[in-house]
Amino acid sequence: MARSVPSLHPALQRLLWVAHAALFFQSGLQFTTWLLAPADFAGGSAWAWVAAFPLLLIGFFPVQRRLGCASGHCTAPRGSRRDDDDRYTGGMPG
């Protein structure tokens, strides 16, 4: 049974998406620093970011599906001018 997209205000959806992106970026940065440049890793509270990275990585896909453009709220309605401009009508080169 598929879950429906929560009926949140689009501004709140965008805010949650941006918050997840910021947390994902910060944890990924700390994880990469720990993995590739351990001499530059600060330790302390940075370990919390390293530990959060796998959870945020797994959460990336449901967040994109429910709050990102995969949910369909970023696309133009069918038949709009924008939809017609994106269509490729040319043939193969050569």
Side-chain angles (χ1 to χ4, degrees), residues 4-85:
S4 64
V5 176
S7 59
L8 298 174
H9 191 275
L12 181 59
Q13 285 182 342
R14 183 63 58 195
L15 183 65
L16 290 173
W17 183 86
V18 168
H20 184 267
L23 293 174
F24 182 70
F25 172 79
Q26 182 62 30
S27 66
L29 179 65
Q30 292 299 325
F31 186 83
T32 305
T33 302
W34 169 69
L35 193 64
L36 298 178
D40 296 333
F41 185 67
S45 64
W47 282 111
W49 289 111
V50 170
F53 179 70
L55 299 173
L56 290 169
L57 180 62
I58 292 169
F60 175 83
F61 300 102
V63 167
Q64 291 301 317
R65 177 165 297 279
R66 290 184 178 81
L67 302 177
C69 287
S71 64
H73 74 272
C74 297
T75 60
R78 284 232 173 256
S80 70
R81 179 76 179 136
R82 182 175 159 206
D83 188 33
D84 293 338
D85 290 341

